[in-house]
Amino acid sequence: INYPFTNDSYLNNILNIEIYSNINTFIGILRYESNIYEIIEWGTITGTKDLILYPENIYFIYSNDYSFVILYNDGSIISWGDEYKGGNINYPNTIVYNSNITLIVNTEQAFAALKNDGSVITWGSPDYGGDSSSVTNNLNNIISLYIFLLISSKFQSSLGA
């Protein structure tokens, strides 16, 4: 690996590397022996190093084609990337960061998050599910969220389906 690593001795003290991606950016979280974390990034979305606080408390990093969302162990979330495609958690809805999120799913340009009280919040491009205001009254007592993938008939036939 040439970038972002500079030499082999740099790798010797790393205990764990997690890499996340979307269509144009990679994020790496490196954990060293001394339990020190480092955030690395490459691609077109930048500024990740400044946004990821407390990497030791990250539960999971989710992505869509244009943005990332971190879900922390305490249910807090933070997002970044294209502000109209899920990168700005305040568009089009305002969300409290300590919002007890338990699960996040995505489309190409939006995110939906399930809260521990069974409600769902959405943000990102309205055309891709980021605006759920027309069904807000139906988004209560939700148990889980799923993404359904449509597979073209051409792809299905190549799988023998």
Side-chain angles (χ1 to χ4, degrees):
I1 299 174
N2 293 328
Y3 181 79
F5 306 109
T6 55
N7 60 52
D8 290 338
S9 64
Y10 183 75
L11 295 172
N12 290 336
N13 296 324
I14 295 175
L15 292 178
N16 187 33
I17 300 174
E18 295 178 22
I19 297 179
Y20 303 90
S21 66
N22 64 16
I23 63 170
N24 54 19
T25 302
F26 288 93
I27 297 170
I29 300 177
L30 288 65
R31 184 170 66 96
Y32 295 93
E33 290 176 351
S34 55
N35 221 25
I36 294 174
Y37 290 80
E38 180 180 4
I39 310 301
I40 57 174
E41 62 187 358
W42 61 102
T44 60
I45 297 176
T46 59
T48 303
K49 291 180 185 182
D50 301 327
L51 290 170
I52 299 179
L53 305 174
Y54 313 111
E56 67 276 8
N57 294 326
I58 292 174
Y59 178 72
F60 199 77
I61 297 179
Y62 300 87
S63 65
N64 67 19
D65 287 357
Y66 302 94
S67 306
F68 291 94
V69 177
I70 293 176
L71 173 60
Y72 287 98
N73 291 326
D74 68 357
S76 298
I77 55 177
I78 185 169
S79 67
W80 71 98
D82 187 305
E83 68 178 306
Y84 300 107
K85 297 176 181 175
N88 182 349
I89 208 159
N90 294 315
Y91 178 85
N93 302 315
T94 301
I95 298 171
V96 177
Y97 287 103
N98 295 321
S99 53
N100 298 312
I101 302 297
T102 60
L103 176 67
I104 296 173
V105 295
N106 65 282
T107 64
E108 291 176 25
Q109 299 181 19
F111 294 98
L114 177 63
K115 296 173 66 171
N116 65 1
D117 66 0
S119 62
V120 175
I121 53 177
T122 60
W123 69 100
S125 172
D127 294 337
Y128 287 81
D131 181 1
S132 58
S133 60
S134 65
V135 294
T136 299
N137 293 336
N138 298 325
L139 295 178
N140 296 307
N141 301 313
I142 304 298
I143 297 170
S144 192
L145 299 174
Y146 300 93
I147 295 177
F148 293 96
L149 301 175
L150 299 176
I151 300 174
S152 74
S153 58
K154 182 177 179 181
F155 182 70
Q156 286 177 355
S157 64
S158 71
L159 295 175

